[in-house]
Every structure is written in C-alpha cells, then in structure tokens.
Amino acid sequence: MNALTSALWERRPQTSVRIVDAHAHVGPYSLFFIPDAGSDGMVRVMDRCGVSHAVISSHLAIQLDAAAGNAATAEVVGRAPDRFTGYLTVNPWQDPAGELETWGSDHRFGGIKLHPDLHDYPLTGGRYAPVWEFAQRTGCPVLTHTYDGSPYNDLPMVDEVAVRYPDVVILAGHAGATPNGFDAAIEVARRRSGVMLEVCGSFNSGADIARMVREVGADRVVYGSDFPFIDLRMSLGRVIFSGLTEEDRAAVLGGTMTRLLQWRSGRE
C-alpha cells in the first residue's frame, strides 16, 4: 500500500501527491440546494482529502450572469490564491469579447470555461471565436462541457474545433459523460493532440479512467470533480483506486493540470 492510499485507509489527509481539482465551482446553484457551496466549506473538504488546489468557476457565471459571476470567481481566488485558480466563464450571449478584455490578463484566472448546453449555443458557433483566438494566442486551456448526443457539445464538435485550432488545449469536461461518450472522447483525443479528457461525472468508474489513461496517456487525462455540485470525494476515490501506476496516478491527479496552468509565466 502506497502513502496516498495508506492515508485514506487511516482516515488522515494525504500529502504525498499534489492533487489539483481541474473542474470545480463555487457558490449557490439555482436549480437545487447545495448544503455548503462557499469557498470556506470547500477548503475544509479539500484539506480533509489532501486536495491542494481547485480550478473554479462560479455557478452564477455559468448559469445567469457571466460578468457578475466572473467577478465573484475573482474575489474567491483573490482571498485564497494558494487554494484556487479561476476559470473565466464565457457566455456566448453575454459579450464574450468584453469578458475576455476585462479578465483575460488577470492572473487570478488560469483557464476559460464554456458550457454550451446551459447556454443553448453550439461549441462550433462563431460567437466562441474570441475564446479560441485568445487561447491559441496565449496557451490558455479551455474547459468545455461535453455530453454524448448533445446538439451543443457532442464530441464531434470538440473534434471540429480541435481541427480549426490545433494549438489550443481543450479539456473535454466529463469526457463525454456516458459510456458511449467515453468511447467518442477517447477517439477524439487519440486523433487530436490538444484534446485532454477531464473525468468528473456520475457515470464513470475507475476502470473507465484506467482505460482513458491506457488509450491516450496519463499526460492527457486530468482529475476533476464538479465540486461542490458533486462531492469531490467520489471522483477522487475513482482515480485513487483505479489501479493506475503511482506515476500515472500522480499525473492524472495533479501533475498534468499543474503543467497546464503554467501558461501565463511561459507565454503571456
């Protein structure tokens, strides 16, 4: 038993691996109650589980008001920059170019978040062009929601964007979300070197994550949880007990995402 799993069995925080949650949120969600959606409560759970850092977008930003939500994300990150990095949320109907101009140079943000399903707009649509151009110019990673069969963010759309913008790092959120979606996401990632698979969701297992790593490599798969929308402990457990080697597990849990967040110092 290694140091990471020993810590879990002994019910103590682990410190052997830097864990970075690549897909998290903050704040209340309008459609149902989240018991403790604030950043302080999130940090308590992160500390208990040995999660060093989380990359967050506010629920307000992805749902109702990108401008106010991005400001809320920035405020949370500003209070705890050692624990959080922000995703700049771009709603295609709410001045994408303006949001990028306002926040694109703000070091509290380390990535861009898109949610085509919530915003009823296809990932391939022209309103997202400022996002892809910014990401191609700077190296900023883009996390997009994906879901098998969606008219807005199915995996063929990820493939199309990756062809148009081959230098952009695209994190396929939920890796397609369903078993059929996992198959499609793996196929796209194998064809397009800029596409990474982010593993949060309700339908995958440790075996699915291990398969993603076998098929595309640990440097192309990242741990995310959707916390506090989904409890990070479930997603974390799937990765930890997925049977990966220690080296691959460390890359998935945080090594790869840590590297992707270095774009500002390297290219801006």
Side-chain angles (χ1 to χ4, degrees):
M1 186 178 295
N2 59 50
L4 193 156
T5 51
S6 294
L8 291 174
W9 287 118
E10 295 167 14
R11 300 180 64 83
R12 58 180 172 81
Q14 71 83 31
T15 57
S16 62
V17 175
R18 174 174 164 80
I19 300 177
V20 178
D21 190 335
H23 188 160
H25 300 285
V26 69
Y29 189 69
S30 71
L31 299 180
F32 54 79
F33 176 65
I34 299 174
D36 196 350
S39 58
D40 291 344
M42 292 172 65
V43 167
R44 286 194 292 271
V45 176
M46 291 163 63
D47 285 345
R48 173 65 183 84
C49 297
V51 176
S52 300
H53 205 81
V55 193
I56 60 171
S57 56
S58 74
H59 284 126
L60 177 61
I62 65 170
Q63 275 202 292
L64 302 174
D65 190 328
N70 286 328
T73 300
E75 192 274 334
V76 169
V77 175
R79 285 191 284 108
D82 57 326
R83 307 309 301 272
F84 298 110
T85 296
Y87 279 118
L88 167 57
T89 298
V90 173
N91 183 324
W93 305 107
Q94 296 180 3
D95 192 13
E99 288 303 296
L100 286 164
E101 183 176 353
T102 298
W103 300 107
S105 61
D106 192 314
H107 283 242
R108 287 173 291 186
F109 292 94
I112 294 172
K113 165 70 174 176
L114 307 180
H115 205 311
D117 266 341
L118 275 181
H119 298 151
D120 293 333
Y121 188 78
L123 185 68
T124 52
R127 289 176 177 268
Y128 284 131
V131 170
W132 307 121
E133 292 163 5
F134 177 87
Q136 184 162 262
R137 184 175 70 253
T138 63
C140 176
V142 179
L143 171 66
T144 180
H145 185 81
T146 65
Y147 205 100
D148 178 56
S150 165
Y152 301 113
N153 45 224
D154 201 355
L155 275 303
M157 295 180 175
V158 176
D159 189 61
E160 182 177 335
V161 172
V163 171
R164 291 186 203 168
Y165 300 94
D167 296 328
V168 173
V169 174
I170 303 172
L171 297 171
H174 311 292
T178 71
N180 287 338
F182 305 149
D183 290 346
I186 289 169
E187 290 177 9
V188 172
R190 291 181 68 177
R191 287 196 301 271
R192 314 299 175 201
S193 61
V195 174
M196 323 282 280
L197 305 182
E198 182 277 313
V199 301
C200 76
S202 302
F203 303 111
N204 66 19
S205 66
D208 294 315
I209 294 167
R211 179 187 165 213
M212 292 176 196
V213 171
R214 287 196 306 272
E215 294 282 349
V216 306
D219 62 337
R220 306 275 303 287
V221 179
V222 297
Y223 159 68
S225 69
D226 231 358
F227 184 52
F229 192 97
I230 298 174
D231 194 316
L232 72 79
R233 286 164 282 202
M234 294 186 295
S235 299
L236 185 57
R238 290 180 190 134
V239 178
I240 291 173
F241 296 106
S242 61
L244 297 176
T245 66
E246 288 191 44
E247 182 179 1
D248 285 350
R249 184 169 54 198
V252 172
L253 285 175
T256 297
M257 194 62 192
T258 297
R259 171 174 56 83
L260 293 180
L261 291 174
Q262 300 306 308
W263 62 276
R264 285 199 182 278
S265 59
R267 293 183 61 177
E268 192 178 47

